[in-house]
Amino acid sequence: DHIFEKVNPEMEKLGYECKCLGGGKIEHSSKDKKIRVFGLSTGYGKADHSVTVEILKKEYTDYEITWSDDKK
């Protein structure tokens, strides 16, 4: 919620219409080159974490990136 509320007005200024499809958390360990996507947003529900992982894999090609439905 916090990120969407900050980003959405700026995106609208650029002419984009945004809709939040869900949320979660990202745990990033640059030392271990690992990223974990998990959890959900109390306001928006759970995002499709598999989509998030596919986006992250394009930028972090040498990382181990995983996701789960765990809340913590």
Coordinates of all heavy atoms in Angstrom, one line a residue:
D1 N 0.8 -1.2 0.0 CA 0.0 0.0 0.0 C 0.9 1.3 0.0 O 0.6 2.2 -0.7 CB -0.9 0.0 1.2 CG -1.9 1.1 1.2 OD1 -2.4 1.5 0.1 OD2 -2.2 1.6 2.3
H2 N 1.9 1.2 0.8 CA 2.8 2.4 0.9 C 3.4 2.8 -0.4 O 3.5 3.9 -0.8 CB 3.8 2.2 2.0 CG 3.3 2.0 3.3 ND1 3.1 0.8 3.9 CD2 2.8 2.9 4.2 CE1 2.5 0.9 5.1 NE2 2.3 2.2 5.3
I3 N 4.0 1.8 -1.1 CA 4.6 2.0 -2.4 C 3.6 2.5 -3.4 O 3.9 3.4 -4.2 CB 5.4 0.8 -2.8 CG1 6.6 0.5 -1.8 CG2 6.0 1.0 -4.2 CD1 7.3 -0.8 -2.0
F4 N 2.5 1.8 -3.5 CA 1.5 2.1 -4.6 C 1.0 3.5 -4.4 O 0.9 4.3 -5.3 CB 0.4 1.1 -4.5 CG -0.7 1.3 -5.6 CD1 -0.4 1.1 -6.9 CD2 -1.9 1.8 -5.3 CE1 -1.3 1.3 -7.9 CE2 -2.9 2.1 -6.3 CZ -2.5 1.8 -7.6
E5 N 0.7 3.9 -3.1 CA 0.2 5.2 -2.9 C 1.2 6.3 -3.2 O 0.8 7.4 -3.6 CB -0.2 5.4 -1.4 CG -1.3 4.5 -1.0 CD -2.6 4.7 -1.8 OE1 -2.9 5.9 -2.1 OE2 -3.3 3.7 -2.1
K6 N 2.5 6.0 -3.2 CA 3.5 7.0 -3.6 C 3.7 7.0 -5.1 O 3.9 8.1 -5.7 CB 4.9 6.7 -2.9 CG 4.9 7.0 -1.4 CD 6.3 6.6 -0.9 CE 6.4 6.9 0.6 NZ 7.6 6.5 1.2
V7 N 3.7 5.9 -5.7 CA 4.0 5.8 -7.1 C 2.8 6.1 -8.0 O 3.0 6.8 -9.1 CB 4.5 4.3 -7.4 CG1 4.7 4.1 -8.9 CG2 5.9 4.1 -6.7
N8 N 1.6 5.8 -7.6 CA 0.5 6.0 -8.5 C 0.3 7.4 -8.9 O 0.1 7.6 -10.1 CB -0.8 5.4 -7.8 CG -2.0 5.4 -8.7 OD1 -1.9 5.0 -9.9 ND2 -3.1 5.9 -8.2
P9 N 0.3 8.4 -8.1 CA 0.2 9.8 -8.6 C 1.2 10.2 -9.6 O 0.9 10.9 -10.6 CB 0.3 10.6 -7.3 CG 0.0 9.7 -6.2 CD 0.5 8.4 -6.6
E10 N 2.4 9.8 -9.4 CA 3.5 10.1 -10.4 C 3.2 9.4 -11.8 O 3.5 10.0 -12.8 CB 4.9 9.7 -9.9 CG 5.3 10.5 -8.6 CD 5.3 12.0 -8.9 OE1 5.8 12.4 -9.9 OE2 4.8 12.7 -8.0
M11 N 2.7 8.1 -11.7 CA 2.4 7.4 -12.9 C 1.2 8.1 -13.7 O 1.2 8.2 -14.9 CB 2.1 6.0 -12.6 CG 3.3 5.2 -12.0 SD 4.7 5.1 -13.1 CE 4.1 3.9 -14.3
E12 N 0.3 8.5 -12.9 CA -0.9 9.2 -13.5 C -0.5 10.5 -14.2 O -1.0 10.8 -15.3 CB -2.0 9.5 -12.5 CG -2.7 8.2 -12.0 CD -3.7 8.5 -11.0 OE1 -3.7 9.5 -10.3 OE2 -4.6 7.6 -10.8
K13 N 0.5 11.2 -13.6 CA 1.0 12.4 -14.3 C 1.6 12.1 -15.6 O 1.6 13.0 -16.5 CB 2.1 13.1 -13.4 CG 1.5 13.8 -12.2 CD 2.6 14.4 -11.4 CE 2.1 14.9 -10.0 NZ 3.3 15.4 -9.2
L14 N 2.2 10.9 -15.8 CA 2.8 10.5 -17.0 C 1.7 9.9 -18.0 O 2.1 9.5 -19.1 CB 3.9 9.4 -16.8 CG 5.1 9.9 -16.0 CD1 6.0 8.8 -15.6 CD2 5.8 11.0 -16.8
G15 N 0.5 9.9 -17.6 CA -0.6 9.4 -18.5 C -0.9 7.9 -18.3 O -1.7 7.4 -19.1
Y16 N -0.4 7.3 -17.3 CA -0.7 5.9 -17.0 C -1.8 5.7 -16.1 O -2.0 6.5 -15.1 CB 0.5 5.1 -16.5 CG 1.7 5.1 -17.4 CD1 2.8 5.9 -17.3 CD2 1.7 4.1 -18.4 CE1 3.8 5.8 -18.2 CE2 2.8 4.0 -19.3 CZ 3.9 4.9 -19.1 OH 4.9 4.8 -20.0
E17 N -2.6 4.7 -16.3 CA -3.7 4.3 -15.3 C -3.2 3.0 -14.6 O -2.9 2.0 -15.3 CB -5.0 4.0 -16.1 CG -6.1 3.7 -15.1 CD -7.4 3.5 -15.9 OE1 -7.7 4.1 -16.9 OE2 -8.2 2.7 -15.4
C18 N -3.1 3.1 -13.3 CA -2.6 2.0 -12.6 C -3.6 1.3 -11.7 O -4.5 2.0 -11.2 CB -1.4 2.5 -11.6 SG -0.1 3.2 -12.5
K19 N -3.4 0.0 -11.5 CA -4.3 -0.8 -10.7 C -3.4 -1.7 -9.9 O -2.6 -2.4 -10.5 CB -5.3 -1.5 -11.5 CG -6.3 -2.4 -10.7 CD -7.3 -3.1 -11.5 CE -8.2 -3.9 -10.7 NZ -9.1 -4.7 -11.4
C20 N -3.5 -1.8 -8.6 CA -2.8 -2.7 -7.8 C -3.4 -4.1 -7.8 O -4.6 -4.2 -7.4 CB -2.6 -2.2 -6.4 SG -1.5 -3.2 -5.4
L21 N -2.7 -5.1 -8.3 CA -3.3 -6.4 -8.4 C -3.0 -7.3 -7.2 O -3.3 -8.5 -7.2 CB -2.7 -7.1 -9.7 CG -3.0 -6.4 -11.0 CD1 -2.3 -7.1 -12.1 CD2 -4.5 -6.2 -11.2
G22 N -2.3 -6.8 -6.2 CA -1.9 -7.5 -5.0 C -0.6 -7.1 -4.5 O 0.1 -6.2 -5.1
G23 N -0.2 -7.6 -3.4 CA 1.1 -7.2 -2.8 C 1.8 -8.3 -2.2 O 1.4 -9.5 -2.3
G24 N 2.9 -8.0 -1.5 CA 3.7 -9.0 -0.8 C 5.0 -8.3 -0.3 O 5.1 -7.1 -0.3
K25 N 6.0 -9.1 -0.1 CA 7.2 -8.6 0.4 C 8.4 -9.2 -0.4 O 8.2 -10.3 -1.0 CB 7.4 -9.0 1.9 CG 6.4 -8.3 2.8 CD 6.6 -8.8 4.2 CE 5.7 -8.2 5.2 NZ 4.3 -8.5 5.0
I26 N 9.5 -8.5 -0.4 CA 10.7 -9.0 -1.1 C 11.8 -9.0 -0.1 O 12.1 -7.9 0.4 CB 11.0 -8.2 -2.4 CG1 9.9 -8.3 -3.4 CG2 12.3 -8.7 -3.0 CD1 10.1 -7.5 -4.6
E27 N 12.5 -10.1 0.1 CA 13.7 -10.2 0.9 C 14.9 -10.4 0.0 O 14.9 -11.3 -0.8 CB 13.5 -11.5 1.8 CG 14.6 -11.6 2.8 CD 14.3 -12.9 3.7 OE1 14.5 -14.0 3.2 OE2 13.8 -12.7 4.8
H28 N 15.8 -9.4 0.1 CA 16.9 -9.4 -0.9 C 18.3 -9.5 -0.1 O 18.5 -8.8 0.8 CB 16.9 -8.1 -1.6 CG 18.1 -7.9 -2.6 ND1 18.6 -6.7 -2.9 CD2 18.8 -8.8 -3.2 CE1 19.6 -6.8 -3.7 NE2 19.7 -8.0 -4.0
S29 N 19.1 -10.5 -0.4 CA 20.4 -10.7 0.1 C 21.4 -10.6 -1.0 O 21.7 -11.5 -1.7 CB 20.5 -12.1 0.8 OG 21.9 -12.3 1.2
S30 N 22.0 -9.4 -1.1 CA 23.0 -9.2 -2.2 C 24.3 -10.0 -1.9 O 24.9 -10.5 -2.8 CB 23.4 -7.7 -2.3 OG 23.8 -7.2 -1.1
K31 N 24.6 -10.3 -0.6 CA 25.8 -11.1 -0.2 C 25.6 -12.5 -0.8 O 26.5 -13.1 -1.4 CB 25.9 -11.1 1.3 CG 27.1 -11.9 1.7 CD 27.1 -12.0 3.3 CE 28.1 -13.1 3.7 NZ 27.8 -13.6 5.0
D32 N 24.4 -13.1 -0.6 CA 24.2 -14.5 -1.0 C 23.6 -14.6 -2.4 O 23.4 -15.7 -2.9 CB 23.2 -15.1 0.0 CG 23.8 -15.2 1.4 OD1 25.0 -15.4 1.5 OD2 23.0 -15.2 2.4
K33 N 23.3 -13.4 -3.0 CA 22.7 -13.4 -4.3 C 21.4 -14.2 -4.3 O 21.2 -15.1 -5.2 CB 23.6 -13.8 -5.4 CG 24.8 -12.9 -5.6 CD 25.5 -13.1 -6.9 CE 26.5 -12.0 -7.1 NZ 27.0 -12.0 -8.4
K34 N 20.5 -13.9 -3.4 CA 19.2 -14.5 -3.3 C 18.1 -13.5 -3.1 O 18.3 -12.5 -2.4 CB 19.2 -15.5 -2.1 CG 20.1 -16.7 -2.2 CD 19.9 -17.6 -1.1 CE 20.8 -18.9 -1.2 NZ 20.6 -19.8 -0.1
I35 N 17.0 -13.8 -3.7 CA 15.8 -12.9 -3.5 C 14.6 -13.9 -3.2 O 14.5 -14.9 -3.9 CB 15.5 -12.1 -4.8 CG1 16.6 -11.1 -5.0 CG2 14.2 -11.4 -4.6 CD1 16.5 -10.3 -6.3
R36 N 13.8 -13.5 -2.2 CA 12.7 -14.3 -1.9 C 11.4 -13.4 -1.9 O 11.4 -12.3 -1.3 CB 12.8 -14.9 -0.5 CG 11.7 -15.8 -0.1 CD 11.9 -16.5 1.2 NE 11.8 -15.7 2.4 CZ 10.8 -15.7 3.2 NH1 9.8 -16.5 3.0 NH2 10.8 -14.9 4.3
V37 N 10.4 -13.8 -2.6 CA 9.2 -13.1 -2.8 C 8.1 -13.9 -2.0 O 8.0 -15.1 -2.2 CB 8.7 -12.9 -4.2 CG1 7.4 -12.1 -4.3 CG2 9.8 -12.3 -5.0
F38 N 7.4 -13.2 -1.1 CA 6.4 -13.9 -0.2 C 5.4 -12.9 0.3 O 5.5 -11.7 0.1 CB 7.2 -14.6 0.9 CG 7.9 -13.6 1.8 CD1 7.3 -13.3 3.1 CD2 9.1 -13.1 1.5 CE1 7.9 -12.4 3.9 CE2 9.7 -12.2 2.3 CZ 9.2 -11.8 3.6
G39 N 4.4 -13.5 1.1 CA 3.5 -12.7 1.8 C 2.4 -12.1 1.0 O 2.2 -12.4 -0.2
L40 N 1.7 -11.1 1.6 CA 0.5 -10.5 0.9 C 0.3 -9.1 1.5 O 0.9 -8.8 2.5 CB -0.7 -11.4 1.1 CG -1.1 -11.8 2.5 CD1 -2.1 -10.8 3.1 CD2 -1.7 -13.1 2.5
S41 N -0.5 -8.4 0.9 CA -0.9 -7.1 1.4 C -2.3 -7.2 2.1 O -3.2 -7.8 1.6 CB -1.1 -6.1 0.2 OG -1.8 -4.9 0.5
T42 N -2.4 -6.6 3.2 CA -3.7 -6.6 4.0 C -4.7 -5.9 3.2 O -5.9 -6.2 3.3 CB -3.5 -6.1 5.4 OG1 -3.0 -4.8 5.3 CG2 -2.7 -7.0 6.2
G43 N -4.4 -4.9 2.4 CA -5.3 -4.1 1.7 C -5.6 -4.6 0.3 O -6.7 -4.4 -0.2
Y44 N -4.6 -5.2 -0.4 CA -4.8 -5.6 -1.8 C -4.8 -7.1 -2.0 O -5.0 -7.6 -3.1 CB -3.7 -5.0 -2.6 CG -3.8 -3.5 -2.7 CD1 -2.9 -2.7 -2.0 CD2 -4.7 -2.8 -3.4 CE1 -2.9 -1.3 -2.0 CE2 -4.8 -1.4 -3.5 CZ -3.9 -0.7 -2.7 OH -3.9 0.7 -2.8
G45 N -4.5 -7.9 -0.9 CA -4.4 -9.3 -1.1 C -3.0 -9.7 -1.6 O -2.1 -9.0 -1.6
K46 N -2.9 -11.0 -2.1 CA -1.6 -11.5 -2.6 C -1.5 -11.3 -4.1 O -2.4 -11.6 -4.9 CB -1.5 -13.0 -2.3 CG -0.2 -13.6 -2.6 CD -0.1 -15.1 -2.3 CE -0.6 -16.0 -3.4 NZ 0.2 -15.9 -4.6
A47 N -0.3 -10.8 -4.4 CA 0.0 -10.7 -5.9 C 0.4 -12.1 -6.4 O 0.6 -13.0 -5.6 CB 1.2 -9.8 -6.0
D48 N 0.4 -12.2 -7.7 CA 0.9 -13.4 -8.3 C 2.4 -13.4 -8.3 O 3.1 -12.8 -9.1 CB 0.4 -13.5 -9.8 CG 0.8 -14.8 -10.4 OD1 1.7 -15.5 -9.9 OD2 0.2 -15.2 -11.5
H49 N 3.0 -14.0 -7.3 CA 4.4 -14.0 -7.0 C 5.2 -14.6 -8.2 O 6.4 -14.2 -8.4 CB 4.8 -14.6 -5.7 CG 4.2 -13.9 -4.5 ND1 4.0 -12.6 -4.4 CD2 3.8 -14.4 -3.3 CE1 3.5 -12.3 -3.3 NE2 3.3 -13.4 -2.6
S50 N 4.7 -15.5 -8.9 CA 5.4 -16.1 -10.0 C 5.7 -15.1 -11.1 O 6.7 -15.1 -11.7 CB 4.6 -17.3 -10.6 OG 3.4 -16.9 -11.2
V51 N 4.8 -14.1 -11.3 CA 5.0 -13.1 -12.2 C 6.1 -12.1 -11.7 O 7.0 -11.7 -12.5 CB 3.7 -12.3 -12.5 CG1 3.9 -11.0 -13.3 CG2 2.6 -13.1 -13.1
T52 N 6.1 -11.8 -10.5 CA 7.1 -11.0 -9.9 C 8.5 -11.6 -10.1 O 9.4 -10.9 -10.4 CB 6.8 -10.8 -8.4 OG1 5.5 -10.2 -8.2 CG2 7.8 -9.8 -7.7
V53 N 8.6 -12.9 -9.8 CA 9.8 -13.6 -9.9 C 10.3 -13.5 -11.4 O 11.5 -13.3 -11.6 CB 9.7 -15.1 -9.5 CG1 10.9 -15.9 -9.9 CG2 9.6 -15.1 -7.9
E54 N 9.5 -13.7 -12.3 CA 9.9 -13.7 -13.8 C 10.4 -12.3 -14.1 O 11.4 -12.2 -14.9 CB 8.8 -14.1 -14.7 CG 8.4 -15.6 -14.6 CD 9.6 -16.5 -14.8 OE1 10.4 -16.3 -15.7 OE2 9.8 -17.4 -13.9
I55 N 9.8 -11.2 -13.6 CA 10.3 -9.9 -13.8 C 11.7 -9.7 -13.2 O 12.6 -9.2 -13.8 CB 9.3 -8.8 -13.3 CG1 8.0 -8.9 -14.1 CG2 9.9 -7.4 -13.3 CD1 6.9 -8.1 -13.6
L56 N 11.9 -10.2 -11.9 CA 13.1 -10.0 -11.2 C 14.2 -10.8 -11.9 O 15.4 -10.4 -12.0 CB 13.0 -10.5 -9.8 CG 12.2 -9.6 -8.9 CD1 11.8 -10.3 -7.6 CD2 12.9 -8.3 -8.6
K57 N 13.9 -12.0 -12.5 CA 14.9 -12.8 -13.1 C 15.6 -12.1 -14.3 O 16.7 -12.4 -14.7 CB 14.3 -14.1 -13.6 CG 14.1 -15.1 -12.4 CD 13.6 -16.4 -13.0 CE 13.4 -17.4 -11.9 NZ 12.9 -18.7 -12.4
K58 N 14.9 -11.2 -15.0 CA 15.4 -10.5 -16.1 C 16.5 -9.5 -15.7 O 17.4 -9.3 -16.4 CB 14.3 -9.7 -16.8 CG 13.3 -10.6 -17.5 CD 12.2 -9.8 -18.1 CE 11.1 -10.8 -18.7 NZ 10.0 -10.0 -19.2
E59 N 16.4 -9.0 -14.5 CA 17.4 -8.0 -14.0 C 18.5 -8.7 -13.2 O 19.7 -8.3 -13.2 CB 16.7 -6.9 -13.2 CG 17.6 -5.8 -12.7 CD 18.2 -5.0 -13.8 OE1 17.5 -4.8 -14.8 OE2 19.3 -4.4 -13.6
Y60 N 18.1 -9.7 -12.4 CA 19.0 -10.4 -11.5 C 19.3 -11.8 -12.0 O 19.0 -12.8 -11.4 CB 18.4 -10.4 -10.0 CG 18.2 -9.1 -9.4 CD1 17.0 -8.4 -9.6 CD2 19.2 -8.5 -8.7 CE1 16.8 -7.1 -9.0 CE2 19.0 -7.2 -8.1 CZ 17.8 -6.6 -8.3 OH 17.6 -5.3 -7.7
T61 N 20.0 -11.8 -13.1 CA 20.2 -13.1 -13.8 C 21.1 -14.0 -13.1 O 21.0 -15.2 -13.3 CB 20.9 -12.8 -15.2 OG1 22.1 -12.0 -15.1 CG2 19.9 -12.0 -16.1
D62 N 22.0 -13.6 -12.2 CA 22.9 -14.4 -11.5 C 22.4 -14.7 -10.0 O 23.2 -15.2 -9.2 CB 24.3 -13.9 -11.5 CG 24.4 -12.5 -10.8 OD1 23.4 -11.8 -10.7 OD2 25.5 -12.1 -10.5
Y63 N 21.1 -14.5 -9.8 CA 20.6 -14.7 -8.4 C 19.7 -15.9 -8.4 O 19.1 -16.3 -9.4 CB 19.6 -13.5 -8.1 CG 20.3 -12.4 -7.4 CD1 21.3 -11.6 -8.0 CD2 19.9 -12.0 -6.1 CE1 21.9 -10.5 -7.4 CE2 20.5 -10.9 -5.5 CZ 21.5 -10.2 -6.1 OH 22.1 -9.1 -5.5
E64 N 19.6 -16.5 -7.2 CA 18.6 -17.5 -6.9 C 17.3 -16.8 -6.5 O 17.4 -16.1 -5.5 CB 19.1 -18.5 -5.9 CG 18.0 -19.5 -5.5 CD 18.5 -20.4 -4.3 OE1 19.7 -20.5 -4.1 OE2 17.6 -20.9 -3.6
I65 N 16.2 -16.9 -7.2 CA 15.0 -16.2 -6.9 C 13.9 -17.2 -6.7 O 13.6 -18.0 -7.6 CB 14.7 -15.2 -8.0 CG1 15.9 -14.2 -8.3 CG2 13.4 -14.4 -7.6 CD1 15.7 -13.3 -9.4
T66 N 13.3 -17.1 -5.5 CA 12.2 -18.0 -5.2 C 11.0 -17.2 -4.7 O 11.1 -16.1 -4.3 CB 12.6 -19.0 -4.1 OG1 13.0 -18.2 -2.9 CG2 13.8 -19.8 -4.5
W67 N 9.8 -17.9 -4.6 CA 8.6 -17.3 -4.0 C 7.9 -18.4 -3.3 O 8.0 -19.6 -3.5 CB 7.8 -16.7 -5.1 CG 7.1 -17.6 -6.1 CD1 7.6 -18.1 -7.2 CD2 5.8 -18.2 -5.9 NE1 6.7 -18.9 -7.8 CE2 5.6 -19.0 -7.0 CE3 4.8 -18.2 -4.9 CZ2 4.4 -19.8 -7.2 CZ3 3.6 -18.9 -5.1 CH2 3.4 -19.7 -6.2
S68 N 7.0 -17.9 -2.4 CA 6.2 -18.8 -1.6 C 5.0 -18.1 -1.1 O 4.9 -16.8 -1.2 CB 6.9 -19.4 -0.4 OG 7.1 -18.4 0.6
D69 N 4.0 -18.8 -0.6 CA 2.8 -18.2 0.0 C 2.9 -18.0 1.5 O 2.0 -17.6 2.1 CB 1.6 -19.1 -0.3 CG 1.1 -19.1 -1.7 OD1 1.3 -18.1 -2.4 OD2 0.6 -20.1 -2.2
D70 N 4.2 -18.2 2.0 CA 4.4 -17.9 3.4 C 4.2 -16.5 3.7 O 4.4 -15.6 2.9 CB 5.9 -18.3 3.8 CG 6.2 -19.7 3.6 OD1 5.3 -20.6 3.5 OD2 7.4 -20.1 3.5
K71 N 3.7 -16.3 4.9 CA 3.4 -14.9 5.4 C 4.6 -14.2 6.0 O 4.7 -13.0 6.1 CB 2.2 -14.8 6.3 CG 0.9 -15.2 5.6 CD -0.2 -15.1 6.6 CE -1.5 -15.5 5.8 NZ -2.7 -15.5 6.7
K72 N 5.6 -15.1 6.4 CA 6.8 -14.5 7.0 C 8.1 -15.2 6.4 O 8.0 -16.2 5.8 CB 6.8 -14.8 8.5 CG 5.8 -14.0 9.2 CD 5.9 -14.2 10.7 CE 4.9 -13.4 11.5 NZ 5.0 -13.4 12.9

